[in-house]
């Protein structure tokens, strides 16, 4: 059975509440843009591609309600204005601008909003347009984004899997490889299949995966809660590690587990390859470089923000301290201890609780993302292929965006000095 995080039919949208996973599968209906904004802000839906799709479809639901003649949609616009195609276009634009404020670091959301505004403006400018035609143009554009995201993710998976197998020295052609991944980048973070987890799914489909090591991804535990849920759902061999175990894993099991790559997703990729992703990604990139393991970013072209020249220009969202100080989960039923058989533990239904793990009076810093310098990234996997650096260290974006893209963005090399600004020394790979 295919895992569905977004259920959509025209005029109706439901999302799988990711705060309830992996212990409860609850779908929440999204009736309008306000519902979507709060779901994104609370991280009931997360992952840059999924955020963009849910935001776009939430406005499509409102637009369809308006088409059907109900009064719930577009309440801020007066009756005379709503009859105007230009007025509808303006209101749709306002709704999209509002949604962009929910998660500013994820570029896919802003990109989707910009593209949808172009669609509705073009529809409104048509001399034969009316309010219905503008609304229907918006709905069709949002629905196409849902279709395209799944197709793009499958292409990302294919390109990334092929690149890993091509660049990793195997003792035999049928040798299986292991990978490390961080956060959640699968069906729960996209419209379906996934980006980094899509690469893993592709490797698994060709019987090339030995083991997937996935980090718990503190403080929100997207790895242990969500990636684990997806890997188990798909019967992919996997092992959970804490974020702080990655170095020991690479040091002690790189060869025995045939670890070929660390592969992660992205919330925003700058023109020079600097990549904003879930906090902890930068640390994994440093570890991969030190241990001579390839480090890949998997993301659709919509995540690449060419006007942003480097990671220094990426705004990093900071979230509430309480997410670090507390932790949520269901209670475990009292029973005989089974140290080596964790699946024996029984979960008490409906017992989801929040408990304090830090000392009283503790203050916490909680950036949601960090920026990995492009210098540490071996390749960026897109739906159009894997973008690599040339001999001078510049990512060759012309391959996916066409000739002149790099000149237009004034792409520069991600120099080691960028890393050394805070006293960090660039690492050379070890054997």
């Amino acid at each position: 059975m295919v895992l569905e995080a977004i259920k959509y039919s025209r005029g109706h949208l439901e999302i799988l509440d990711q705060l309830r996973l992996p212990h409860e599968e609850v779908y929440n209906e999204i009736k309008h843009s306000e519902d979507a904004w709060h779901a994104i802000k609370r991280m009931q839906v997360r992952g840059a591609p999924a955020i963009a799709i849910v935001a776009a479809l939430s406005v499509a639901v409102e637009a369809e309600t308006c088409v059907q003649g109900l009064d719930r949609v577009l309440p801020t616009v007066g009756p005379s204005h709503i009859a105007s195609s230009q007025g509808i276009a303006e209101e749709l634009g306002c709704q999209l601008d509002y949604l962009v404020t929910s998660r500013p670091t994820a570029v896919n959301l802003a990109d989707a909003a910009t593209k949808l505004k172009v669609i509705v403006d073009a529809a409104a400018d048509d001399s034969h347009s009316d309010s219905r035609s503008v609304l229907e143009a918006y709905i069709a554009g949002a629905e196409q984004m849902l279709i395209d995201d799944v197709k793009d993710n499958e292409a990302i998976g294919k390109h990334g899997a092929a690149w890993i197998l091509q660049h990793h020295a195997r003792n035999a052609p049928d040798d299986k490889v292991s990978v490390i991944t961080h956060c959640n980048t699968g069906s729960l973070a996209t419209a379906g299949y996934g980006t980094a987890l899509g690469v893993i799914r592709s490797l698994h489909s060709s019987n090339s995966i030995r083991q997937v090591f996935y980090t718990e991804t503190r403080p929100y535990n997207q790895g242990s809660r969500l990636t684990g849920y997806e890997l188990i759902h798909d019967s992919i061999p996997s092992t959970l590690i804490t974020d702080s175990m990655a170095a020991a894993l690479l040091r002690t099991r790189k060869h025995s587990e045939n670890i070929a790559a660390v592969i992660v997703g992205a919330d925003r990729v700058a023109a020079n390859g600097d990549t904003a992703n879930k906090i902890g990604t930068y640390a994994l990139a440093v570890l991969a470089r030190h241990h001579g393991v390839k480090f890949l970013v998997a993301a659709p072209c919509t995540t690449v923000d060419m006007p942003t020249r480097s990671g220094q220009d990426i705004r990093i969202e900071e979230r509430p301290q309480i997410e670090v100080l507390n932790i949520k989960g269901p209670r475990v039923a009292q029973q005989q201890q089974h140290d080596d058989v964790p699946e024996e533990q029984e979960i008490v239904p409906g017992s989801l609780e929040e408990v304090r793990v830090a000392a009283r009076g503790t203050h916490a810093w909680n950036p949601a993302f960090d920026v990995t310098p492009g210098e540490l990234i071996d390749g960026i996997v897109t739906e159009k292929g894997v973008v690599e650096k040339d001999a001078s260290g510049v990512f060759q974006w012309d391959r996916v965006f066409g000739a002149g893209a790099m000149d237009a963005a004034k792409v520069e090399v991600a120099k080691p000095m960028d890393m050394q600004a805070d006293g960090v020394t660039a690492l050379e790979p070890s054997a």
Side-chain angles (χ1 to χ4, degrees):
M1 183 176 67
V2 176
L3 181 61
E4 274 190 291
I6 300 171
K7 291 184 176 181
Y8 173 80
S9 59
R10 182 160 291 198
H12 188 79
L13 173 64
E14 292 183 354
I15 61 167
L16 186 58
D17 188 344
Q18 298 188 28
L19 296 180
R20 309 284 284 272
L21 291 173
H23 308 293
E24 295 179 281
E25 293 185 14
V26 177
Y27 284 89
N28 297 333
E29 186 176 1
I30 303 296
K31 297 180 180 179
H32 42 70
S33 56
E34 291 89 345
D35 283 349
W37 192 95
H38 288 293
I40 294 167
K41 193 68 175 178
R42 293 169 184 159
M43 294 180 67
Q44 290 171 302
V45 60
R46 24 72 47 212
I51 286 169
I53 297 299
V54 168
L57 292 178
S58 72
V59 179
V61 169
E62 287 191 272
E64 176 62 20
T65 304
C66 189
V67 168
Q68 296 301 319
L70 300 179
D71 297 329
R72 169 62 186 88
V73 76
L74 308 175
T76 62
V77 181
S80 62
H81 196 51
I82 219 171
S84 159
S85 58
Q86 291 293 339
I88 288 290
E90 290 172 13
E91 178 59 19
L92 290 169
C94 289
Q95 297 281 21
L96 291 167
D97 288 341
Y98 163 67
L99 285 160
V100 168
T101 66
S102 60
R103 292 303 295 275
T105 303
V107 70
N108 303 60
L109 178 52
D111 180 77
T114 299
K115 289 176 178 175
L116 288 167
K117 286 179 186 179
V118 171
I119 289 172
V120 297
D121 287 345
D125 288 341
D126 190 312
S127 59
H128 301 292
S129 71
D130 56 18
S131 57
R132 176 180 290 273
S133 65
V134 174
L135 290 166
E136 289 180 342
Y138 177 89
I139 294 168
E143 290 175 346
Q144 190 61 46
M145 286 183 173
L146 176 66
I147 295 168
D148 290 344
D149 190 62
V150 176
K151 181 179 67 176
D152 290 346
N153 290 338
E154 290 173 347
I156 288 170
K158 177 182 176 182
H159 292 309
W163 193 95
I164 288 173
L165 295 178
Q166 178 185 349
H167 287 77
H168 183 68
R170 295 183 289 171
N171 294 326
D174 59 348
D175 267 1
K176 296 182 179 182
V177 298
S178 296
V179 297
I180 300 172
T181 193
H182 186 59
C183 198
N184 174 256
T185 58
S187 296
L188 297 172
T190 65
Y193 202 72
T195 53
L197 201 50
V199 174
I200 290 168
R201 283 190 164 104
S202 185
L203 286 167
H204 178 63
S205 69
S206 65
N207 199 32
S208 299
I209 277 287
R210 173 183 291 185
Q211 194 74 203
V212 177
F213 295 96
Y214 61 102
T215 63
E216 62 177 351
T217 319
R218 284 282 292 148
Y220 236 71
N221 295 320
Q222 293 99 323
S224 58
R225 291 190 301 109
L226 306 179
T227 296
Y229 175 80
E230 292 202 46
L231 292 169
I232 292 167
H233 179 277
D234 286 10
S235 300
I236 298 175
S238 57
T239 300
L240 172 65
I241 62 173
T242 67
D243 297 6
S244 55
M245 292 177 183
L249 174 67
L250 287 168
R251 174 87 175 178
T252 62
R253 297 191 177 185
K254 171 188 168 183
H255 298 294
S256 63
E257 294 288 352
N258 201 22
I259 298 175
V262 176
I263 181 161
V264 301
D267 284 81
R268 187 182 296 254
V269 180
N272 72 340
D274 292 353
T275 296
N277 193 48
K278 184 55 55 186
I279 192 74
T281 302
Y282 180 20
L284 282 173
V286 172
L287 291 173
R289 176 58 56 91
H290 179 68
H291 291 92
V293 172
K294 298 295 184 183
F295 188 89
L296 288 178
V297 170
C301 290
T302 52
T303 303
V304 182
D305 186 12
M306 293 300 283
T308 298
R309 295 183 63 185
S310 76
Q312 295 178 351
D313 300 320
I314 298 176
R315 174 185 171 189
I316 299 299
E317 174 191 3
E318 293 195 14
R319 295 187 60 80
Q321 297 182 48
I322 202 74
E323 295 176 357
V324 178
L325 305 177
N326 295 1
I327 195 167
K328 295 178 182 178
R331 284 187 286 112
V332 178
Q334 294 285 340
Q335 57 188 296
Q336 185 177 355
Q337 186 67 38
H338 295 277
D339 291 338
D340 296 324
V341 192
E343 61 268 23
E344 293 290 335
Q345 291 188 318
E346 295 288 340
I347 300 298
V348 178
S351 66
L352 190 66
E353 296 178 354
E354 184 170 347
V355 298
R356 181 82 168 197
V357 293
R360 187 174 182 179
T362 299
H363 294 278
W365 179 49
N366 188 19
F369 308 95
D370 56 28
V371 177
T372 299
E375 179 199 355
L376 297 178
I377 298 170
D378 293 295
I380 298 173
V381 188
T382 75
E383 68 273 24
K384 297 181 180 180
V386 181
V387 179
E388 299 177 81
K389 290 172 282 191
D390 61 16
S392 65
V394 175
F395 280 98
Q396 297 301 293
W397 293 116
D398 286 354
R399 175 176 180 183
V400 296
F401 293 120
M406 295 168 59
D407 292 336
K410 297 183 174 62
V411 178
E412 298 177 354
V413 180
K415 299 183 178 67
M417 71 177 69
D418 295 332
M419 297 177 60
Q420 295 170 354
D422 291 320
V424 179
T425 302
L427 298 175
E428 292 297 327
S430 64

